[in-house]
């Protein structure tokens, strides 16, 4: 039989003809093999686009967002009964139709990228060039070779211009593993808040190979795109990892999931595969909102979540994952996203009812609309959790319903070491309109960890500490969350800093708002008992609090006005 080259159907595209390219069958290649030939955009240019901070719009005028689905993969499988078209060069080039079946992707001759981690010592909004120059000069006199990195994005929609750009002044580039230690050292030396910026010094490379059960094989430098052949169909992905991020314990689980829009598979910085979903913002929110809040929640709470999630999504574009070939991830680090299969009619209605609505500040900028599952009844200042300048819209305060109760008056100025025990004894009914079913398991919690296990966990980050003897909070934020924790052990001591780092270090605690007491001999504890409040970082909107306010009769715009002070809901598109 002749080679099965006829299994490949090439469908010329009429849109964006400048990106059209030829598909060439290589002489001597395996039957059914298709190689992407040269086009007007080089493979390095394609990667540069994937790694850029910019984004585009759909024909309907909706922002097109790229979301990581899974990384660090030796193999990716997608497709099935619904046939997929392969775009070796993205939209505008030729299409390959091999019919129904599961595509299996791998990478050949991978070259990992080179990433440098910089310590950010100043964040300066766009348009303040003099401040940038002054900061660069200051750090140069301190013996560093500072750099300025522009992050964020700018776009205009229907006469409204949104500009989130800012310059990060950064120093002391390190390998990724050493960046946090250097940042902590500089923060202590110069008494300032620091963060990290990852610079992609050299992009990864490799040939992405997709094999179809029919015998068709497609090979292309760096990236391949997949899109459903049938209008309205989805892309099925197999073995998608989930459930292992944030403060959760245990390895991630794997699941088959479906996604609207397009999926591209490219080479990550570790030389392994990354799968990314390119999807419009509203479609993305339909799969994102039910992963963030219970779909059974009151409709006003669902609307609050839809507006907050949309605002946070747009405000975060260009602000994260600067060394990755996508704009946001699908975990708790960004926004939890489970794809089309998780959409729910009630949350989809909330997204549609608030279409294009976002939270604006008085100066016309988007609010950084952070949110967490449960604040424990009191939210936290943004700068205490993540560093950077204080955000007037993200100031810690008691939940609105809680603040009306007399037992909460003692905490109007915040929670500290003196009053934390009384705070932890509060009844959840006081914060959630009398309904203890809303967030009760997260409002207050207890956990006891054996010293042997806790010392093992601590040793992974601080091997010189030894068996733990004491855990002492050194700094608490407005809400009582711990930002610095002293670790004393049999061999030495250390200082752990950062909300998420502390939670993970201590076995995945629900929040850093806790008190800790030794169990057994105080000199050599057999265990440590944690009594805590809330679930998550506590900045911005408390989802449990929003549910309680909605149940009490508040509308979504009033709920958002409480959590994001000085903000106003406006329609962006």
């Amino acid at each position: 039989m002749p080679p099965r080259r006829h299994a490949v159907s090439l469908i010329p595209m009429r849109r964006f003809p400048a990106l059209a390219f030829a598909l060439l069958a290589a002489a001597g290649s395996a039957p059914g093999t298709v190689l992407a030939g040269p086009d007007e955009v080089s493979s390095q240019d394609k990667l540069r686009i994937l790694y850029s901070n910019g984004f585009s719009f759909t024909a309907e005028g909706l922002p097109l967002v790229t979301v990581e689905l899974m990384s660090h993969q030796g193999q990716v499988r997608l497709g099935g009964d619904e046939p997929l078209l392969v775009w070796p060069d993205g939209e505008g080039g030729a299409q390959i139709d091999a019919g129904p079946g599961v595509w299996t992707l791998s990478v050949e001759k991978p070259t990992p990228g080179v990433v440098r981690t910089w310590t950010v010592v100043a964040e300066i909004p766009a348009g303040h060039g003099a401040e940038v120059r002054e900061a660069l000069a200051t750090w140069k006199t301190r013996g560093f070779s500072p750099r300025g990195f522009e992050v964020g994005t700018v776009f205009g929609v229907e006469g409204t211009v949104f500009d989130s750009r800012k310059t990060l002044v950064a120093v002391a580039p390190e390998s990724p593993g050493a960046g946090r230690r250097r940042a902590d050292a500089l923060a202590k030396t110069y008494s300032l808040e620091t963060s990290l910026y990852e610079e992609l010094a050299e992009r990864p490379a490799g040939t992405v190979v997709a094999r179809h059960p029919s015998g068709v094989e497609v090979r292309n430098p760096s990236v391949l795109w997949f899109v459903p052949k049938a209008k309205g169909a989805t892309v099925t992905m197999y073995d998608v990892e989930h459930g292992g991020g944030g403060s959760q314990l245990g390895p991630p689980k794997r699941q088959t999931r479906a996604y609207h829009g397009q999926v591209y598979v490219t080479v990550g910085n570790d030389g392994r595969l990354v799968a990314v979903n390119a999807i419009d913002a509203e479609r993305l929110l339909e799969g994102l909102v039910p992963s963030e809040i219970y779909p059974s929640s009151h409709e006003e709470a669902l609307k609050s979540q839809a507006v907050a999630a949309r605002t946070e999504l747009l405000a975060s574009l260009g602000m994260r994952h600067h060394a990755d070939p996508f704009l946001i991830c699908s975990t708790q680090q960004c926004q939890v996203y489970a794809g089309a299969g998780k959409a729910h009619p009630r949350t989809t209605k909330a997204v549609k009812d608030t279409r294009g609505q976002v939270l604006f500040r008085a100066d016309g900028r988007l609010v950084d609309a952070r949110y967490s599952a449960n604040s424990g009844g009191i939210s936290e200042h943004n700068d205490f959790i993540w560093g950077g300048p204080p955000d007037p819209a993200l100031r810690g305060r008691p939940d609105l319903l809680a603040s009306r109760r007399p037992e909460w008056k003692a905490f109007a100025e915040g929670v500290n070491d003196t009053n934390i025990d009384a705070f932890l004894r509060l009844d959840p009914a006081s914060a959630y309109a009398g309904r203890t079913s809303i967030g009760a398991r997260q409002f207050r919690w207890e956990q006891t960890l054996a010293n042997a296990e806790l010392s093992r966990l601590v040793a992974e980050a601080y091997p010189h500490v030894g068996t733990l003897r004491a855990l002492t909070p050194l700094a608490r934020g407005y809400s009582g969350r711990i930002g610095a924790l002293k670790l004393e052990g049999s061999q030495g001591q250390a200082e752990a800093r950062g909300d998420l780092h502390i939670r993970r270090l201590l076995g995945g605690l629900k929040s850093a708002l806790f008190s800790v007491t030794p169990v057994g001999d105080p000199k050599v504890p057999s265990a440590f008992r944690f009594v805590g409040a809330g679930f998550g970082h506590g900045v911005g909107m408390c989802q449990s609090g929003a549910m309680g306010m909605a149940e009490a009769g508040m509308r979504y715009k009033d709920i958002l006005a409480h959590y994001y002070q000085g903000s106003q809901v406006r329609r962006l598109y």
Side-chain angles (χ1 to χ4, degrees), residues 41-65:
V41 181
S42 70
S43 60
Q44 286 301 306
D45 286 335
K46 298 170 199 170
L47 271 185
R48 187 175 297 111
I49 293 171
L50 298 183
Y51 281 91
S52 72
N53 287 343
F55 66 96
S56 59
F57 288 83
T58 67
E60 294 76 28
L62 301 176
L64 188 66
V65 183

Side-chain angles (χ1 to χ4, degrees), residues 268-300:
N269 290 322
D270 59 356
R272 296 167 70 82
L273 293 176
V274 181
V276 182
N277 188 194
I279 184 171
D280 76 69
E282 296 301 300
R283 200 58 115 146
L284 172 60
L285 288 167
E286 290 179 12
L288 187 155
V289 174
S291 298
E292 297 280 12
I293 192 171
Y294 297 118
S296 59
S297 301
H298 192 285
E299 63 179 351
E300 294 301 311

Side-chain angles (χ1 to χ4, degrees), residues 462-547:
Y462 305 99
H464 63 283
V465 170
T467 302
L468 287 171
R469 297 289 186 261
L471 299 172
T472 307
L474 298 178
R476 290 187 184 271
Y478 170 81
S479 70
R481 285 169 169 78
I482 298 172
L485 183 69
K486 184 178 181 180
L487 313 168
E488 297 179 77
S490 58
Q491 300 176 21
Q493 61 184 38
E495 183 177 314
R497 302 181 67 88
D499 172 88
L500 186 56
H501 174 61
I502 291 172
R503 289 160 56 193
R504 287 176 169 171
L505 182 71
L506 302 180
L509 297 180
K510 290 182 178 180
S511 83
L513 205 181
F514 61 81
S515 67
V516 55
T517 54
V519 177
D521 185 350
K523 294 183 179 180
V524 187
S526 60
F528 288 89
R529 177 172 175 262
F530 300 89
V531 178
F535 188 12
H537 50 68
V539 178
M541 185 176 72
C542 167
Q543 292 166 313
S544 296
M547 295 177 203

Side-chain angles (χ1 to χ4, degrees), residues 99-334:
V102 177
W103 289 90
T104 301
L105 285 83
S106 59
V107 57
E108 293 184 353
K109 297 181 180 179
T111 301
V114 177
V115 177
R116 288 195 290 255
T117 302
W118 293 71
T119 296
V120 178
V121 293
E123 298 184 13
I124 302 170
H128 294 70
E131 294 182 31
V132 173
R133 290 189 293 272
E134 181 180 353
L136 291 171
T138 297
W139 284 92
K140 189 173 183 179
T141 61
R142 291 173 175 172
F144 294 90
S145 298
R147 286 267 305 276
F149 297 94
E150 185 177 275
V151 300
T153 188
V154 58
F155 62 89
V157 181
E158 296 183 357
T160 299
V161 177
F162 165 60
D163 189 352
S164 69
R165 293 174 300 170
K166 59 184 176 181
T167 298
L168 306 181
V169 177
V171 299
E174 297 275 3
S175 61
R180 171 48 62 189
R181 292 192 294 273
R182 172 58 68 91
D184 289 345
L186 289 175
K188 182 177 294 185
T189 300
Y190 294 100
S191 300
L192 50 76
E193 297 287 348
T194 60
S195 59
L196 300 178
Y197 174 84
E198 288 192 337
E199 177 199 17
L200 184 60
E202 294 182 21
R203 294 184 182 86
T207 298
V208 179
V209 182
R211 296 180 174 88
H212 192 269
S214 66
V216 174
E217 182 178 286
V218 184
R219 312 168 68 86
N220 199 49
S222 306
V223 62
L224 285 172
W225 292 74
F226 296 83
V227 62
K229 181 178 181 180
K231 185 177 181 180
T234 57
V235 178
T236 299
M237 300 284 300
Y238 302 90
D239 299 321
V240 179
E241 295 181 353
H242 68 100
S247 60
Q248 301 180 39
L249 294 175
K253 301 175 184 178
R254 291 181 178 270
Q255 188 178 60
T256 299
R257 290 181 171 178
Y259 299 92
H260 289 292
Q262 308 159 5
V263 170
Y264 61 85
V265 181
T266 186
V267 185
N269 290 322
D270 59 356
R272 296 167 70 82
L273 293 176
V274 181
V276 182
N277 188 194
I279 184 171
D280 76 69
E282 296 301 300
R283 200 58 115 146
L284 172 60
L285 288 167
E286 290 179 12
L288 187 155
V289 174
S291 298
E292 297 280 12
I293 192 171
Y294 297 118
S296 59
S297 301
H298 192 285
E299 63 179 351
E300 294 301 311
L302 297 181
K303 291 179 184 178
S304 298
Q305 180 63 60
V307 174
R310 184 181 293 108
T311 307
E312 172 64 6
L313 172 66
L314 296 180
S316 68
L317 297 182
M319 293 294 189
R320 305 170 186 168
H321 296 288
H322 303 105
D324 295 312
F326 48 84
L327 291 171
I328 64 171
C329 62
S330 57
T331 68
Q332 291 173 336
Q333 182 183 351
C334 296

